[in-house]
Amino acid sequence: MRNNNILTSAIILFFLAHFEGARINTNEDRYPSPRMVILGATGVGKSSLANVLIGRARDYKNTDQERECFAVSAQAEEGKSGVTQETCHEVGPWLGVGENITIVDTPGFGVDKLEEEEATIDGLVNFLRNDIKYVDAFVIAFKQMDNRVTSGFKTMVKIVGGIFGDEFWDNVIIEATFWSYSIDNIEKRGGQTEKDWLEGTPKKTLAGTAPNVDNLTAVYIDTYYRKSDSNQATKFNENTQKLFDFAKEKKPFHCKDIKAVKHDLRKLQEEKEKLEQQKKDIEQQKRALEESCEHEKDELNQSLATSQHNLTQFELQISTLEAKNSKMETKMGHGTNTLVLVSFGLMIV
């Protein structure tokens, strides 16, 4: 009976492990759930948010020299475009006091260097697919004051859509960084509500990429809020709780099928190289054709010259024959006259 129970349990576990969407968290000890990945353009405030969500100071300085993540600074490493320059995770208590969660900090998209952007894509894909494997929430961060879509953000949205596919958007939530609930900032927004903002730049940017754009929701977590201001503290607690509940309630997104995609600049570069190679091939064919035509031209000229020479020789031969014939006719004329005179003389005699 005991053996049957063991066999039944093994069969159940087997089917659960292979059932699409089922979650057997064999790495839960390393990456406790919920698991949140923060995405966004360079300088949008991802690392500040990541640190605050696990109870750290927003301007936390990472002392680990081997890990360039969760570092908040005004200056990037020399030769690179962002402070966070690799995809990495941290485990910590939610807001410093709750259950342990996993936060994944990522480099910013939209940098100037193609190689750096490609390294970001490869690093993100490899970490999520091979290490963390499941993600509960993808937090796409917008800077609240950016009313215009930057090229970096457009690049990020296109790349993210290519990496994760359509199902990924069911686990996406928008974050408005630097959305302050202070009285001064509320007045500066001139009556703009959270809904107004979400329907503006974020949804307009994601329209055509996110299939569920109308259903996307947002949180407004200000990492610079004042705890002494009751309204700011209340709004901070409300929005962080909304994010936590979103991550807990969502079906985890399986990263096993995600793949790296080519950057638009790389595609253009490859297309340029392809066109340049085609141009070289055409120029080479042109030169070969010109050389062939020149060779044929030389042969034709040579043939023409030979024919002209032969014609000249033939005409010369004709002239010679005509001259000989004329001489013969002259001689024959003299002989005939002499014969007539002789004959005439004989008759007289």
Side-chain angles (χ1 to χ4, degrees):
M1 185 71 175
R2 182 180 178 184
N3 290 337
N4 289 337
N5 290 336
I6 294 175
L7 178 60
T8 301
S9 298
I11 292 173
I12 292 173
L13 287 174
F14 174 82
F15 279 104
L16 284 175
H18 288 78
F19 185 79
E20 184 177 0
R23 177 170 175 167
I24 305 299
N25 278 327
T26 57
N27 58 357
E28 187 74 18
D29 56 333
R30 288 189 61 196
Y31 308 109
S33 300
R35 306 171 184 187
M36 304 180 192
V37 177
I38 303 178
L39 302 166
T42 299
V44 78
K46 300 185 302 298
S47 295
S48 294
L49 177 64
N51 286 317
V52 167
L53 293 181
I54 53 176
R56 290 173 173 171
R58 61 176 178 263
D59 55 353
Y60 170 81
K61 306 292 183 182
N62 191 351
T63 57
D64 189 344
Q65 299 297 321
E66 296 182 357
R67 303 181 74 215
E68 300 167 346
C69 51
F70 289 84
V72 179
S73 173
Q75 184 175 0
E77 182 181 331
E78 183 177 356
K80 295 191 176 181
S81 304
V83 179
T84 299
Q85 293 157 6
E86 61 176 301
T87 297
C88 50
H89 80 285
E90 287 286 0
V91 173
W94 177 250
L95 302 181
V97 294
E99 62 184 88
N100 276 349
I101 66 164
T102 303
I103 295 289
V104 178
D105 192 18
T106 63
F109 288 90
V111 299
D112 295 331
K113 297 181 179 179
L114 177 59
E115 291 76 11
E116 190 175 334
E117 192 91 299
E118 290 177 325
T120 295
I121 296 170
D122 291 341
L124 175 64
V125 169
N126 289 335
F127 177 76
L128 295 182
R129 183 175 58 201
N130 300 324
D131 290 88
I132 200 167
K133 298 181 180 179
Y134 292 92
V135 175
D136 297 289
F138 292 91
V139 183
I140 297 183
F142 284 77
K143 189 178 287 187
Q144 174 262 323
M145 61 281 291
D146 288 344
N147 295 321
R148 296 176 59 187
V149 180
T150 63
S151 59
F153 190 82
K154 288 181 179 179
T155 299
M156 186 207 74
V157 169
K158 191 168 185 177
I159 289 173
V160 164
I163 291 174
F164 297 106
D166 288 346
E167 291 184 7
F168 147 84
W169 293 101
D170 292 334
N171 293 74
V172 167
I173 189 168
I174 306 300
E175 152 66 356
T177 59
F178 302 100
W179 183 283
S180 174
Y181 284 97
S182 69
I183 294 176
D184 289 343
N185 281 282
I186 291 174
E187 291 178 352
K188 287 179 182 179
R189 287 195 288 271
Q192 183 190 41
T193 66
E194 291 91 332
K195 183 179 179 181
D196 293 336
W197 176 84
L198 179 60
E199 295 295 328
T201 301
K203 286 194 174 182
K204 287 180 180 178
T205 303
L206 299 176
T209 302
N212 64 336
V213 64
D214 292 334
N215 298 323
L216 289 176
T217 187
V219 290
Y220 304 80
I221 301 171
D222 179 20
T223 58
Y224 289 82
Y225 82 103
R226 287 189 178 182
K227 295 181 181 180
S228 58
D229 185 318
S230 61
N231 183 55
Q232 292 186 55
T234 298
K235 291 298 184 179
F236 176 83
N237 291 332
E238 288 177 355
N239 281 282
T240 51
Q241 187 62 46
K242 181 178 179 180
L243 174 59
F244 185 80
D245 292 342
F246 178 89
K248 291 284 283 187
E249 294 168 3
K250 282 294 178 180
K251 174 184 174 181
F253 177 81
H254 202 319
C255 300
K256 63 183 177 64
D257 294 325
I258 67 174
K259 59 185 183 301
V261 296
K262 286 186 179 180
H263 194 285
D264 280 351
L265 289 179
R266 178 62 66 191
K267 292 178 182 178
L268 290 174
Q269 189 177 79
E270 290 179 352
E271 185 64 25
K272 178 185 175 184
E273 291 173 355
K274 181 180 178 181
L275 291 174
E276 288 177 344
Q277 184 60 47
Q278 289 178 350
K279 180 182 177 183
K280 289 180 181 178
D281 292 342
I282 291 173
E283 289 176 345
Q284 186 175 358
Q285 291 173 7
K286 179 184 175 183
R287 286 194 299 269
L289 183 60
E290 288 176 345
E291 290 174 0
S292 176
C293 289
E294 192 66 30
H295 178 69
E296 291 181 4
K297 180 181 176 182
D298 290 342
E299 288 184 343
L300 288 173
N301 287 336
Q302 183 65 35
S303 177
L304 181 61
T306 301
S307 298
Q308 187 65 40
H309 175 72
N310 292 338
L311 179 60
T312 301
Q313 293 296 318
F314 182 69
E315 290 177 344
L316 181 60
Q317 290 176 6
I318 291 175
S319 297
T320 302
L321 288 174
E322 287 178 344
K324 287 182 179 180
N325 186 51
S326 179
K327 287 180 179 181
M328 288 180 65
E329 288 179 351
T330 301
K331 288 180 179 181
M332 288 179 66
H334 290 313
T336 303
N337 292 335
T338 302
L339 180 60
V340 170
L341 290 172
V342 171
S343 298
F344 183 73
L346 289 175
M347 289 176 63
I348 292 174
V349 175

